[in-house]
Each structure stands twice: as structure tokens, then as C-alpha cells.
Amino acid sequence: MARKLPYHLLDVFTDRRFCGNPLAVVEGADGLTATEMQAIAREFNLSETVFLQSPQDPVNSARARIFTPQKELPFAGHPTIGAAALLAETRAGDILARSDVVIVLEEEIGALRCEALRGRNGVTYAQTALPAAPRKIGESPAREALAAALSLTPGEIGFGAHVPTIYSAGAPFLFVPLQSREALDRARRGPTFADAVGEAIGAFLYTHDTVDSASAIHARMYAHGLGIDEDPATGSAAAAFAGVAHEFERPDDGEHELFIEQGYAMGRPSRITLRMTVENGALAGVAIGGQVVRVGEGALRL
């Protein structure tokens, strides 16, 4: 007899349906093998699908395993934010209507404490703090090599103090600053793209030339080895971008909030909130957040 597992479809990092980054959340996934989860993620064919299992520590809310259409990831932002918002709504909806709800998700990078709250617009907002600050890894390719990999000219890469670099907050990204939004819109994968990205899971292109004046950067993320071409909103890259912002902007001690806009070129505008805490000149804390809307639900037949 066929097994049935409930699933939900969400749009993350947006307050409107059919914008942001779509996400599938499969509940009751304890009996699934990694091979089955990978096949289901390939069937949904979204940037990521998250599978919720019983927590290893019963004080936590759930264990979350995250799959792209091609591989499992130790951490990803929009599955974490989406799953936290969904669990707050479905398990503690009455509490969420009047106060914040705490959800703890066990992921490969550790137990992530998430907070969910109901916004004035009726849309749930969730955020999670990272267990560790982003770290810089390796050396970025030369500007000329990056320009060839992205079908740009070397002069279009870099602005202010920003130069290409690689940071990870659980998943490594190659960060490429561009002079203008026009250059970012024109950027395309060249034949040497895979060589330039190397071990990173994507190239995160960004510029200070934003659509919304309240945003800090306008971004695109070309994925590498994930089974997708471009991601509408990349929470794990936004988390790692805290390291980039800290290195090149040198923010003062205190709390800082940045808005990252992404997905416009795909017709799925997204808004990621990045919060940074700086103490004695060092990056002491990082959190990402965003709004989540529920689009649909159903059951998988296995």
C-alpha cells in the first residue's frame, strides 16, 4: 500500500505569492532514505526541498535535511527560514498570533535557533542566528579570469574597497562585486565558469546599484553543481556576505541591518534581511531573516 507524506509549498523572502524563492517542505520524513529524498527533490525541481524528521534531541523542534535537485547541503537559508515559519504556523498558530515563537532546527552545521513572528501585514517573518561567524576561505580567481567566466570586462569587476573573495557560512560562495546593475544583468556564464567557481557552490554577483533605495546590494546567484542555473534568493550566501561586508565596509561596533534584493532578473523579486553584530571590531553575530507565504499543500504517494 502506498505511503503518503504531506508536503507544503512556500515562497520565502517575500510577502507575495509567486515571488521570492519557492520551497517544498516534506513532513514525516523519518522513514525516507537519502536516495529517496534526493529523488523527491529532483521531482519538485526547486532550488531546495527540506525534509523534516524527528529531532535527535527531543527538546528541539525537528531535524531538517536539505536537498537541491542534485545534492544534499549542510545548511541553506531559505529552507531554514521557510521550515521555521511553517512549523510556527502549524504547531503554534495560536501563540504566533500574539507573540514570537521559537523553533529549533537540527541541521548538519548545528542546531539553529529560529524566531518567528506574525507581521502587521499578516505574513509570518522568521529569522535564524548562525552558530558561527562566516569564514574566508581560499583565494579568488584573478579579475581577468572572472571577467572571462562571466562574459564581462575586467573593469566592470570591483567597486570601492570591494574585490572578489570567497566566504562560507556553512556553504562556500564566490563573491563578485560589479560596478553596476547593468553589468550584473548582462553577466552570463562563460565556458570557464566552472573552473572559476571551483569548489564553491555558486557565484554571488552583487552591486551597490539597487532597485530599492533601502537595499544595501542588488544580487544574483549563479549556482554550480546544484542542479539549478540561478537562485532567486540565497540565504546562505546572504549569511556569508556578512563576512564580505565586514571586511570591506568596516562597520562600527554595534548592531547593523542590511537588506539584500535578489531574483529581479528571474521575475521573482526577493528581500533578505541580514543582521550583523560587531564587537571590538570583530564580527560577533550574524542572523538572516525574511517573510514567508504559504502557496499550497498536498501529499506525496510513495
Side-chain angles (χ1 to χ4, degrees), residues 21-194:
N21 201 348
L23 173 71
V25 182
V26 179
E27 295 190 277
D30 292 84
L32 295 179
T33 66
T35 300
E36 288 174 316
M37 286 186 273
Q38 186 64 77
I40 292 168
R42 193 177 300 116
E43 181 73 12
F44 280 119
N45 202 35
L46 300 174
S47 297
E48 281 121 357
T49 298
V50 59
F51 297 86
L52 298 181
Q53 301 177 325
S54 299
Q56 295 174 329
D57 186 336
V59 303
N60 297 329
S61 305
R63 183 184 181 199
R65 295 186 66 178
I66 300 165
F67 286 77
T68 76
Q70 193 164 317
K71 66 188 293 186
E72 185 173 8
L73 297 178
F75 166 70
H78 101 279
T80 302
I81 297 301
L86 176 69
L87 290 178
E89 290 184 0
T90 57
R91 295 186 184 180
D94 291 343
I95 299 174
L96 185 64
R98 59 181 184 272
S99 66
D100 296 358
V101 172
V102 174
I103 301 292
V104 180
L105 297 176
E106 297 174 354
E107 299 185 14
E108 289 302 308
I109 66 167
L112 298 179
R113 186 180 188 275
C114 310
E115 297 176 75
L117 58 93
R118 184 64 55 81
R120 293 180 181 178
N121 59 356
V123 177
T124 299
Y125 175 94
Q127 70 173 14
T128 184
L130 299 186
R135 58 190 179 91
K136 190 175 183 178
I137 55 177
E139 293 294 330
S140 170
R143 191 170 304 196
E144 291 74 13
L146 283 176
L150 296 170
S151 305
L152 297 171
T153 64
E156 292 175 305
I157 295 177
F159 61 80
H162 288 249
V163 296
T165 188
I166 302 172
Y167 270 90
S168 174
F173 288 90
L174 170 62
F175 290 91
V176 185
L178 297 181
Q179 290 279 339
S180 67
R181 186 156 28 106
E182 187 275 331
L184 187 146
D185 290 341
R186 186 165 31 83
R188 295 290 182 271
R189 297 168 185 262
T192 58
F193 178 82

Side-chain angles (χ1 to χ4, degrees), residues 251-257 275-285:
D252 295 333
D253 283 5
E255 303 287 334
H256 302 272
E257 182 177 76
R275 292 189 169 90
M276 306 164 50
T277 302
V278 179
E279 295 178 358
N280 298 318
L283 193 57

Side-chain angles (χ1 to χ4, degrees), residues 246-258:
H246 180 257
E247 178 177 352
F248 299 125
E249 297 293 337
R250 295 296 179 189
D252 295 333
D253 283 5
E255 303 287 334
H256 302 272
E257 182 177 76
L258 307 177

